[in-house]
Amino acid sequence: MDFSLSEEQQLLKDSVQRFVREEYELESRRKLVATDIGYSEDNWAKMAELGWLALPLPEEYGGIGGGAVDTMVLMEEFGRGLVVEPYMSSVIIGGGFLMAGGSEKHKTELLPKLGAGELKLAFGYAERQSRFDLNDVECKAEKSGDGYILNGHKGVVFHAATADKIIVSARTSGGSRDADGITLFLVDNNCNGLSRRDYPTVDGLRASELELDGVAVGADAVLGAVGGGAALMEEVVGQAIAAICAESVGCMDVLQETTNEYLKTRVQFGVPLSKFQVLQHRMVDMFMECEQARSMCYMVTLKIGDEDPVERAKAVSAAKVQIGNSGRYVGQQSVQLHGGMGMTDELHVGHYFKRLTMIDTMFGNKDHHLKRYADL
Amino acid sequence: MDMHYRPEDLAFQAEVRQFIQANLPADLADKVRRGLHLDKEDFVFWQKKLNEQGWFAPHWPVALGGVEWNPTQHYLFQNEQVEGCCPPVIPFGVRMVAPVIFTYGSEEQKQRFLPDILDSTAWWCQGYSEPGSGSDLASLQTKAVRDGDDYIVNGTKTWTTLAQYADWIFCLVRTSTEGKPQEGISFLLIDMNSPGIDVTPIITIDGSHEVNSVFFTDVRVPAENLIGQENQGWTYAKFLLLFERSNSLTGSLKQQLHRLRGVARQELTGGAPLCADPAFAARLADYEVQLRSYEFLELRTLGNSRPGAEASYLKIIGTDLQQLASELTLQAVAYYGNPHISDALVHGYNEPSVGPDYAAPAAPQYFNYRKTAIYAGSNEIQRNILSKAVLGM
Ligand SMILES: Cc1cc2nc3c(=O)[nH]c(=O)nc-3n(C[C@H](O)[C@H](O)[C@H](O)COP(=O)(O)OP(=O)(O)OC[C@H]3O[C@@H](n4cnc5c(N)ncnc54)[C@H](O)[C@@H]3O)c2cc1C
Ligand SMILES: Cc1cc2nc3c(=O)[nH]c(=O)nc-3n(C[C@H](O)[C@H](O)[C@H](O)COP(=O)(O)OP(=O)(O)OC[C@H]3O[C@@H](n4cnc5c(N)ncnc54)[C@H](O)[C@@H]3O)c2cc1C
């Protein structure tokens, strides 16, 4: 066993760290979040140039051919910087679907563009009634000639506004919550019948509500097998959860370090707050949560390619539960131990806390994944 | 022991309900019910209504405008207000500075300040905390130096809630550096329109403007605005803190639970309501049990006119429950906690909501309620008080 990074991975880590240091001062991030699109196209171009957008993509399609550990290294540093560019939506999830379910034509046409930063993707799956069940799909796709007509709604689609194409789950057969009968479609963002309502999210990202009203797509819009979307989603969302675990480890480490530093410098009652034993123990608990979260992050990263689907799913759900617990504790306590300062928008503490809070919701919260784990 | 309300208490409860029904406009109640932002006018409107009825300052001495209610009636009154979705009474004037004025103030001060508090003409804010003095309040540095008939005040107060609306601020200021820090503090009433006062907003993590910094540069304050004796302010401040910590929370916790149940009935999981999901139902039940325990804790302390230790544990347990309910509500709305439409919480926002309309306040409220374990003496400080004062450690 070996949990150390390779030389290339260390270099990647250094270069992402440098980017975050240079581009992601809290003030710069605040400005990005306030822009029209909510992130920087310059940053996106830089990420393309540095090879990060092509990192997990296969070499035969212009990618770097990186593995899960490389993604983990990058996402952890993005977490430390609270990076708002649509990397998760576009590269991890969008790229993941193209690689796992795309036709040869999809791959040759789209993957090189994705890696070069010339194409962005988003993923619409949630619906009003679906909660965290990926297979609770009422959006309909009806056969029409060679292609399909899509009707329905998709909620809280991250980074939909700036995506060129949106991957949408729709039902081609079966009942509302059947695993069978879901198909994934690649839909052009500017196509007829698709309307969006865009909005910012509480943690500084962007998302949209989508209405699909008679959206016509060709047969070549289908990703993977018709009716076989459930397995595809499980695979790709599993990878996304592994990546988001790494992001949250980055967030938690920053909070733990910042809070520790704060307690050592903030003086009350004539001594630094770090002299109070109850706060020392609280810090130790936060530190242990970070270590447990990191361990589970390594675990899921190394198991996400497992042959055994049950083992893979258990790893994913276990890690998501841990990240939910740890993120909650570290986030809440960081605010608490900063006192009034922790409540301010001015300090970065609250921004990490909010991101960790919303990460618990992404792809199913702790309750959802506990149940899934128990059922596996 | 007897856990039943007496008939006269129940009759009183019915009277309060009737009053609220007759006097609270439906759209104002709706604003409160939906967790929208309230304006200064909303608070003042309701406070004036209560005052017309003689119910705005029930805990004051009767001669000054108070009412002779028993502890149960005070309790019922507070909780009926919450249940009826009345705007909360802003405590800084009527519940905080007024008791200090009528207990320790001069006759002139009573006549000058109490009527304006009673009819909500004057809005007060609380100037205790400073950037360097939060939990360690006694270390405060804002200086007041005597100059003829005035004090000249210099320094910074912070986290001052709703100072943007305030006409007056009651301040703890340092008038002496001799002896223990507590011994050099005075209690001063300062007109917010005085030259040299600057108020700047502090935006909190939920995006709202509730707190402020208040800067004092050579502010002249007439010495007649000093409460009691110079350097005795700490005594008055501690007296006031007991009032700050002894608000009943049962009503608002029940209200939070009621809303949460409503959300959990409407949200779906696996095609069934979330409240029927075994894991979520267990969380709801667990919350309700804790709330019941808290309610009886509060009831047991009713009638202790100056709760000391009780105020500390009620504050800890009550704020834990406030936070927990807000967290469960955010969990209940799932993905629809994400959208951040800053105007969605402003009355008159006409766009259809993104997702269900009960979802919009969920995340802001969860973020905002982190404050409850920090303000009015953090929950760590309350535990220090309990271990010293009650457990003798
Ligand atoms: C089943 C068992 C097996 C053991 N086996 C061995 C053995 O093989 N060899 C051996 O040498 N000893 C052994 N011990 C003894 C053990 O190491 C001591 O019990 C332990 O160090 C605690 O000391 P104490 O019992 O005197 O409790 P105390 O030190 O009196 O502590 C009492 C309580 O106060 C807490 N406390 C103490 N100091 C602090 C502080 N500064 N801050 C916060 N909290 C504090 C403790 O955590 C504990 O909860 C064993 C004990 C048990 C129960
Ligand atoms: C929303 C909000 C509204 C407020 N409104 C007002 C207002 O209107 N007027 C006013 O005067 N003040 C107000 N306050 C200020 C509030 O009273 C202080 O924030 C509070 O006393 C804590 O002080 P601090 O923020 O400086 O934190 P610090 O005192 O720096 O504390 C930081 C952390 O250390 C912990 N800690 C400190 N000392 C100890 C110790 N001895 N042992 C263990 N733990 C300790 C604290 O519990 C906290 O977790 C408000 C605060 C907030 C957040």
Side-chain angles (χ1 to χ4, degrees), chain A residues 138-294:
Chain A
E138 290 184 355
C139 182
K140 288 242 171 346
E142 270 161 322
K143 193 93 183 127
S144 159
D146 275 353
Y148 294 84
I149 305 285
L150 275 57
N151 280 294
H153 163 81
K154 291 288 160 186
V156 198
V157 184
F158 284 93
H159 297 296
T162 46
D164 301 288
K165 291 174 188 291
I166 303 171
I167 296 159
V168 171
S169 59
R171 194 158 279 293
T172 37
S173 65
S176 296
R177 288 180 298 282
D178 290 349
D180 285 341
I182 301 167
T183 306
L184 297 177
F185 294 91
L186 203 49
V187 177
D188 278 339
N189 200 349
N190 57 5
C191 69
N192 283 335
L194 177 68
S195 54
R196 279 195 338 260
R197 178 170 180 199
D198 307 328
Y199 48 82
T201 65
V202 293
D203 51 353
L205 302 180
R206 295 304 166 102
S208 307
E209 300 297 293
L210 303 188
E211 296 297 334
L212 296 99
D213 184 10
V215 169
V217 294
D220 60 352
V222 173
L223 287 174
V226 171
L232 201 53
M233 284 195 287
E234 179 166 329
E235 181 181 342
V236 175
V237 167
Q239 293 161 0
I241 288 176
I244 217 174
C245 286
E247 182 188 347
S248 80
V249 165
C251 292
M252 280 184 236
D253 277 354
V254 170
L255 282 179
Q256 187 267 120
E257 292 156 17
T258 311
T259 307
N260 188 357
E261 204 46 50
Y262 187 74
L263 294 184
K264 286 175 186 157
T265 47
R266 169 77 172 166
V267 172
Q268 290 289 276
F269 305 100
V271 293
L273 290 175
S274 59
K275 292 291 173 212
F276 295 112
Q277 193 178 42
V278 3
L279 303 184
Q280 292 168 350
H281 285 194
R282 203 80 60 84
M283 266 325 297
V284 169
D285 288 343
M286 284 168 64
F287 175 70
M288 293 193 296
E289 289 295 343
C290 289
E291 289 300 315
Q292 285 174 284
R294 177 176 295 279

Side-chain angles (χ1 to χ4, degrees), chain A residues 262 266 268-269 273 276 278-279 336-341 343, chain B residues 92 126-129 133-136 158-161 210-211 371 374-378 380-381 384:
Chain A
Y262 187 74
R266 169 77 172 166
Q268 290 289 276
F269 305 100
L273 290 175
F276 295 112
V278 3
L279 303 184
Q336 178 67 21
L337 297 195
H338 276 81
M341 286 307 292
M343 287 299 298
Chain B
F92 305 109
Q126 178 184 27
Y128 277 23
S129 306
S133 308
S135 298
D136 182 13
T158 192
W159 317 122
T160 323
T161 300
E210 230 174 73
V211 288
K371 73 185 177 186
I374 296 169
Y375 65 23
S378 75
E380 285 79 14
I381 294 300
N384 287 349

